[in-house]
Amino acid sequence: MGLKIYNTLKREKEDFIPQNPPYVGMYVCGPTVYGNSHLGHARSYTSFDVIYRYLKYCGYKVRYVQNITDVGHLVGDADEGEDKISRQAALEKQEPVEIAYKYELSYFEDMRKLNILPPDISCRATGHIIEIISHVQALIEKGYAYVTDKGNVYFEVKKFASYGKLSGRNLDDTKSGERIDIATDKKAPEDFALWKSADGGHLMKWPSPWGDGYPGWHIECSVMSRKYIGDTLDIHGGGMDNIFPHHECEIAQSEALTEKPFVRYFIHNNMLTVNGSKMGKSLGNFIVLKDLFKKMNPMVLRFYILQSHYRSVLDFSDESMTAAGVGFERLRNSIFALKDVKIAENDDLTAYPELDALKKEFLDAMNDDFNTPIAISVLYEILKHSNNELNKADRDTAKLEAVKRMIFTFTEDILGFNWNMADNTDSGEENNREDKLIEFLIEIRKQYRTEKNFAMSDKIRDTLKDIGITLKDAPQGTTYTIS
Ligand SMILES: [Zn+2]
């Protein structure tokens, strides 16, 4: 059985046939970098990480492109209102570019803890303003977009006949109050911004043929995916909340220009809820990954996420996390027991049809639209064989080795667990303790410096440096990095 993928465009599972095999171009909408990553990010990017890993396992040469939205994403996803990054910059009294970079680094740090592979290309909207302007210009020339006297450019939705083909919405649905703030210079409420004038005092702005301004949120994905993959993407991914308006607008912008299909397979992960409710800052149930990782090993979160299919709603609660922790422990212990297995000479690793059958079961599950919960259940079946063998006095080392190779390929290469990172189940607390210890030493060193005892203050700094902790003094205080 070959790989089948649920394609949101067709609303059914289809055989996966890339445009130019073995090459696969995959674009996933990345984060808007105005705050620390939360559970929703963990869910979405872990799901696409497994898809990326599995495609590579299947022998495809994948180019995985992910954008960083660092301008133009307005509060409420609308065409009017504050830019999320500018708003955060005002709150933190920093430049928007400082905010964007800070939270971009923070995002990649959290993703690394989840053992999510970085994309092959990570691209920023602000680095592609020239390409964005020329795409918008071409849409104006083709008659799909119009410039208003305020210096805004809008896509004229009624000119693009297949608008709505992804979300299933028609223009009447769109008109019936999706947007509360309708810009007064639009020809029709469903039209969306390609370029916004910076007249309202927007901090990040660039010169354009229509005056100083900045790109609308949707256009960056059409432009960057085309630049790095081409006119047609094999896979385009994102959260279900991206289907409308974001991906619908991307299709319109791209297909209006190229007159080719924008995407072959649209993949969308379902939402994450907390105790049955939507997660939101205003609802008081917002879970930031940095806080969560102080309490639990990120590998357990990864396990928890993959225990549910990416198209199901995933509900997060203390009870379900505890249950996931127990399941993860079982898996970890069985796998750790295999670490020291040594193969004997003349061992034949291919003589186990029962293991071949389980391998097929695992791969069938992955081929069935990346069904990780079923795949994980097969892991336990595989490990029963090694656990049985390990309990015997006379162990079959060839069978143990066969299990070991299979299980490490499945769990590490495909499902993306890193068993070294999982070694310490409470590494979150450990890190916390280490942080506190370093902060304590910084405090003591400060005291020595006040007393002008530089011999001791330097000794603390040098000793920490020797063990890979570098202190950096600045007027605001001392910070540190761990290498
Ligand atoms: Zn996007």
Side-chain angles (χ1 to χ4, degrees), residues 205-268:
K205 57 185 176 186
W206 292 264
S208 82
W210 323 290
D212 282 0
Y214 58 97
W217 171 39
H218 314 302
I219 189 73
E220 64 180 77
C221 290
S222 285
V223 167
M224 293 192 282
S225 63
R226 182 164 180 243
K227 174 163 180 163
Y228 297 113
I229 296 177
D231 290 344
T232 300
L233 317 177
D234 289 307
I235 292 176
H236 188 354
M240 248 177 198
D241 52 347
N242 285 150
I243 295 176
F244 190 88
H246 186 54
H247 288 165
E248 199 70 76
C249 295
E250 286 182 18
I251 295 173
Q253 296 160 160
S254 293
E255 297 189 355
L257 183 78
T258 66
E259 295 169 25
K260 291 176 195 160
F262 175 44
V263 171
R264 290 167 73 84
Y265 301 86
F266 256 112
I267 304 181
H268 292 101

Side-chain angles (χ1 to χ4, degrees), residues 67-101:
N67 64 308
I68 295 281
T69 298
D70 55 356
V71 68
H73 192 170
L74 306 188
V75 174
D77 297 352
D79 280 337
E80 291 293 292
E82 266 187 296
D83 183 302
K84 290 183 178 188
I85 291 163
S86 296
R87 185 176 67 167
Q88 192 62 26
L91 277 174
E92 297 193 28
K93 297 196 169 41
Q94 289 186 326
E95 288 294 315
V97 69
E98 283 180 287
I99 292 297
Y101 190 54

